[in-house]
Amino acid sequence: MNISEYKDVYVFVEQREGKIQNVAFELLGKARDLADSLNEKVVAVLPGYNIENHANELIAYGADAVICADDKELEHYNTEPYTQAVCQIINQRKPGIVLIGATTTGRDLGPRLSARLATGLTADCTKLEISENRELLMTRPAFGGNLMATILCSAHRPQMSTVRPGVMRSHEKDESRTGKTEKISINFDKSKFRVRIIKTVKEKKDMIDITEAKILISGGRGVGNEKGFDELRALAAAIGGKTEVSSSRAMVDAGVMEHARQVGQTGKTVRPSLYLACGISGAIQHLAGMEESEFIIAINKDKYAPIFQTADLGIVGDVHKIIPLLTERFAGK
Amino acid sequence: MNIIVCIKQVPNTTEIKINPTTGTLIRDGVASIMNPDDKGGLEEALKLKDKYNAHVTAITMGLPQAEDILREALAMGADKAILVTDRKLGGADTLATSNTLAAVLSQLKFDIIITGRQAIDGDTAQVGPQIAEHLDLPQVTYLENLEYDGEKTFTIKKSTEDGYQIIEVDAPCLVTVLASANKARYMSVRGIVEAYDKEIEIWGFDKIGIDESKVGLKGSPTRVHKAFTRGVKAAGEMFEVDAEEAAGIIMSKLKEKYII
C-alpha cells in the first residue's frame, strides 16, 4: 500500500427517506477542520435515490465536492448495496480519511467496510486531530467511559472512524461556498443482496430529539418517579423555548423515562446551553454524555455526589422543593 | 440446525470507579463477566435449541481464564465450547480478532452465527459485522427478536433509532443481538454439575491455521497511541442553603450567564 496516494477527507452522508441526518453536517464541520490542517479537500459521499438536490447544502456545510451515488438500490439503507457503493468509491478515489456517523446505520456499515478494505476502524471517536506527521489521531472512550484512548492507523488507508451524533459541532451554514457535484453509477453484484427488508416501522420514539434542546432539565434517581418528572416537565414548560426533559440511565432502566431521552454513554451525547441535573449522582457514564454542556447546574441532596465535580454551580438540596420554586419564578416572569 | 454463539469475557465496567483525586482507574476487585449483549445472544440460541433441537456451540477468544464464561454457557445449556487462546493472538484490534474468529468459524458447521451487538469494555460493535464480511455471510445487526421457519428462513426484528425493521434472511447468516432482546436464563444446578465434566476444546494458533500477519498485534491496523483518564475538572461554586435561597441563586446565575 502506497500511503502517499491516499488523500482528502471523505464523509459518509446518511439520509433517511431523503432527509440528510444532522450527524452528516457535524462530520462535515470536523472534516473541514481536518482537511484545512492537511491542506486537502472535503468530499461528501451521498448514496441514495433522487438525492442530488441536497448537494448544495452539503457544500454549504463544508464540503468541497459531493459524490452522489444515485441508484434505486440505495434508496433505503441495506448493508450490502451500501457497502458495495462506498467501497467502490473508496477504491477508486483513495481517500486518506473516512468519517462515518455512529448511528445504527453507520455502525452496521463501518465494520463491514473496514473488513472489506482490510483497514482499521475506530468507533465512537470524541476527538479527531491531525498529528505533526499528518496522521489522524482518534480519541475515544473505553471501559465504559472510564478511560480515554488515542488510536492511530499508521500503515493502512483509509483511516476510518465513526463519531456519535451530537459529539462534533457543525460549522455555520455558508451558502456562498461553491463546490463540484458529481453523479456516479455503481456496478452492483446483486447476487450478494441476501437481506430482504420486509417493512420499516417508525415509532413515536423519534419525535423528540434531546440533542437539539437549548436547555435540558435532566432527572435521576433523586427525582424518584413519574410524579417527580412531572415537576421537571412543569419547569420545562414554564421556561419554554427549546427546553426538554432528559434522564439518567437509572430512570430509563426503571421504566420511568423512555430511552430516547437518556443522556450518557449508552444514551445521547448532549451539549445544551444549560444542563440542569436534578437528583443525578453523576456516574462516569452519565458525565460522558453531558460534560460538554456550556453551563451545568446540579441539585442533589448528597453533597459528595460526583456530579458536583463537573457542575459549574452546585446546590446541595431537595429537588422536590427547589424545582417547583423555580417553576413559580419562571411562570411569574 | 447448528448455531454458533460468539461470546466475550469482559470486566464489569459499571463497577470501575475513578479515584477522584488522582484521576486514575480503580480496577482492583472488579469482576469479570460474560458480556451482556453476548448473553442475550446465547439466550437467543438456547431458545432455538428448545424449539428446534438445535446444537449450540459457544466460542470465545481470550486469555485462558475466559474458560469461566464457557463453563457458564455450558451450564446455561450450550452443547459445546471452544476456547481460542494463544499468546500470538494477543493485542488484537477488532479486525485481527475478526480475522482469527472467522478462520476458526470457517472450519465449523453452522446455519447461523450469533454475536452480541457490542462488548461493554470496548463498545465498538465491529467484530460481528467483520466476521460476516470475512465469511461472506449476510448480516443483520441490532436484533431484538428472531423467528425461524424451521427450514431456512429467519425473520428478524431489528431495532433502529426511530423504530424497527422486519427483515428476512436465509441461513447461513450472522446476527448481532441486543442484551435487551432476552432475559437470559439462569444456570441450572444440573447444568452447572455437568458443565464441569464437559471438555472445552482449545484452539491455539497452530490449530487455527492462519497467517501470522493477520492476527494479534501484527494483524491490527489500529494501535493505541496513548491511554489516559479524563482528569479531574475543577468544581464550580457550591451552596448548601434553603430552597428559597437556592432558587434565587439559580435565577441570578442564569441571568448573569445570559441563559434566560
Side-chain angles (χ1 to χ4, degrees):
Chain A
M1 168 169 287
N2 182 359
I3 283 177
S4 63
E5 282 180 13
Y6 290 77
K7 64 177 177 63
D8 296 337
V9 184
Y10 278 45
V11 172
F12 167 75
V13 177
E14 182 182 348
Q15 52 82 22
R16 284 184 220 153
E17 292 167 346
K19 188 181 179 305
I20 306 291
Q21 300 298 298
N22 277 338
V23 67
F25 301 128
E26 295 162 11
L27 293 182
L28 285 170
K30 179 43 77 178
R32 185 73 265 155
D33 300 341
L34 298 174
D36 287 347
S37 22
L38 288 164
N39 202 15
E40 292 180 352
K41 289 193 168 62
V42 174
V43 179
V45 175
L46 174 60
Y49 185 51
N50 291 331
I51 29 82
E52 218 183 334
N53 56 318
H54 291 291
N56 287 336
E57 197 180 7
L58 299 174
I59 291 165
Y61 276 104
D64 296 302
V66 180
I67 299 175
C68 283
D70 205 300
D71 196 298
K72 184 85 178 113
E73 297 290 352
L74 300 171
E75 185 170 11
H76 302 292
Y77 177 76
N78 197 339
T79 313
E80 188 58 28
Y82 266 65
T83 306
Q84 287 187 19
V86 180
C87 232
Q88 186 180 314
I89 292 165
I90 291 174
N91 283 329
Q92 281 172 0
R93 310 293 171 105
K94 301 195 183 339
I97 294 171
V98 176
L99 306 182
I100 299 172
T103 59
T104 50
T105 292
R107 296 176 117 229
D108 187 87
L109 173 70
R112 192 89 199 191
L113 272 177
S114 82
R116 198 163 293 184
L117 297 162
T119 189
L121 173 65
T122 305
D124 297 354
C125 296
T126 52
K127 198 169 170 192
L128 295 167
E129 296 162 294
I130 301 296
S131 74
E132 277 172 22
N133 47 359
R134 299 173 63 83
E135 286 185 71
L136 183 62
L137 295 164
M138 302 173 273
T139 301
R140 71 179 307 266
F143 287 106
N146 293 289
L147 194 68
M148 303 299 289
T150 302
I151 313 281
L152 284 172
C153 178
S154 302
H156 293 75
R157 290 294 181 273
Q159 306 160 88
M160 303 211 302
S161 70
T162 67
V163 179
R164 286 171 44 164
V167 171
M168 301 297 174
R169 272 175 214 235
S170 52
H171 288 192
E172 286 288 314
K173 192 174 182 181
D174 178 0
E175 307 270 10
S176 69
R177 285 181 49 84
T178 55
K180 187 180 75 171
T181 300
E182 191 185 349
K183 213 168 152 174
I184 60 150
S185 60
I186 303 294
N187 301 314
F188 287 113
D189 174 1
K190 293 189 185 176
S191 70
K192 303 273 187 198
F193 294 1
R194 293 165 292 188
V195 168
R196 305 181 289 279
I197 297 171
I198 307 301
K199 65 173 174 180
T200 299
V201 179
K202 281 190 132 188
E203 284 174 329
K204 216 182 155 199
K205 63 182 172 185
D206 69 332
M207 299 307 280
I208 31 124
D209 184 359
I210 55 167
T211 65
E212 299 279 304
K214 273 202 69 180
I215 297 177
L216 280 175
I217 315 291
S218 206
R221 242 184 263 275
V223 171
N225 51 24
E226 188 63 37
K227 209 167 142 266
F229 272 93
D230 282 342
E231 293 169 5
L232 303 193
R233 279 187 274 265
L235 175 58
I239 298 173
K242 287 181 119 181
T243 306
E244 286 286 351
V245 174
S246 57
S247 166
S248 73
R249 178 175 180 164
M251 300 317 287
V252 173
D253 287 350
V256 175
M257 290 292 278
E258 62 264 46
H259 183 254
R261 289 187 190 266
Q262 183 187 324
V263 171
Q265 183 82 8
T266 54
K268 299 263 169 58
T269 303
V270 298
R271 47 167 50 149
S273 307
L274 170 65
Y275 190 86
L276 178 56
C278 308
I280 292 175
S281 63
I284 191 97
Q285 290 85 353
H286 185 79
L287 301 182
M290 47 63 77
E291 64 191 351
E292 299 283 312
S293 303
E294 275 166 48
F295 197 75
I296 299 168
I297 300 179
I299 306 174
N300 204 301
K301 270 186 179 170
D302 173 13
K303 65 176 164 187
Y304 300 108
I307 189 80
F308 288 127
Q309 297 293 323
T310 303
D312 298 289
L313 173 62
I315 302 285
V316 181
D318 183 353
V319 287
H320 297 293
K321 288 190 184 134
I322 297 168
I323 296 297
L325 285 172
L326 285 175
T327 308
E328 260 174 47
R329 295 193 184 212
F330 272 102
K333 201 166 62 106
Chain B
M1 180 164 58
N2 289 293
I3 305 172
I4 301 178
V5 187
C6 300
I7 60 179
K8 185 182 184 186
Q9 188 177 47
V10 293
N12 190 351
T13 55
T14 53
E15 284 181 13
I16 297 178
K17 298 264 183 312
I18 300 270
N19 179 326
T21 41
T22 61
T24 51
L25 285 190
I26 306 169
R27 290 172 68 172
D28 294 347
V30 173
S32 287
I33 55 170
M34 188 190 305
N35 179 53
D37 280 347
D38 302 349
K39 207 168 191 176
L42 177 59
E43 178 60 35
E44 202 64 60
L46 295 173
K47 285 196 309 198
L48 288 170
K49 177 180 173 174
D50 295 342
K51 212 163 166 186
Y52 299 101
N53 199 26
H55 182 272
V56 177
T57 302
I59 180 169
T60 191
M61 171 175 145
L63 297 169
Q65 60 261 35
E67 184 188 324
D68 292 351
I69 59 164
L70 291 172
R71 296 274 172 216
E72 185 182 352
L74 289 168
M76 283 170 67
D79 301 290
K80 187 180 165 182
I82 297 175
L83 173 60
V84 181
T85 187
D86 199 301
R87 276 175 189 275
K88 286 183 177 153
L89 307 178
D93 72 356
T94 62
L95 192 69
T97 302
S98 66
N99 285 336
T100 310
L101 285 170
V104 176
L105 293 164
S106 68
Q107 299 172 55
L108 306 173
K109 264 176 52 183
F110 58 84
D111 298 286
I112 183 169
I113 297 173
I114 301 179
T115 74
R117 168 199 45 173
Q118 66 191 42
I120 57 171
D121 55 348
D123 284 319
T124 71
Q126 291 177 1
V127 174
Q130 286 171 334
I131 291 172
E133 173 63 21
H134 297 313
L135 297 175
D136 188 21
L137 296 171
Q139 77 190 38
V140 182
T141 52
Y142 292 86
L143 181 145
E144 233 174 49
N145 189 47
L146 177 74
E147 304 286 339
Y148 179 53
D149 71 354
E151 286 174 30
K152 68 174 173 97
T153 304
F154 296 97
T155 304
I156 292 158
K157 184 178 178 190
K158 173 191 170 113
S159 170
T160 62
E161 282 95 349
D162 48 16
Y164 64 90
Q165 286 184 315
I166 301 295
I167 290 173
E168 272 182 15
V169 63
D170 295 341
C173 61
L174 181 145
V175 296
T176 81
V177 176
L178 300 171
S180 57
N182 290 302
K183 190 169 170 8
R185 66 194 64 190
Y186 293 106
M187 296 179 277
S188 68
V189 174
R190 195 175 145 199
I192 294 169
V193 173
E194 286 178 0
Y196 279 87
D197 292 333
K198 280 189 189 160
E199 198 185 333
I200 287 177
E201 219 174 276
I202 309 283
W203 286 55
F205 176 77
D206 293 330
K207 186 170 163 76
I208 302 167
I210 186 173
D211 193 311
E212 205 172 333
S213 68
K214 294 186 106 180
V215 302
L217 201 56
K218 276 188 196 162
S220 299
T222 62
R223 299 281 164 92
V224 177
H225 173 61
K226 61 171 180 176
F228 53 97
T229 50
R230 288 160 182 275
V232 184
K233 183 190 157 187
E237 294 174 89
M238 265 186 63
F239 297 92
E240 197 169 351
V241 291
D242 69 40
E244 202 58 62
E245 201 176 328
I249 292 169
I250 292 171
M251 292 304 284
S252 59
K253 201 73 184 173
L254 293 180
K255 279 178 193 143
E256 183 193 318
K257 295 280 168 189
Y258 300 108
I259 293 167
I260 52 166

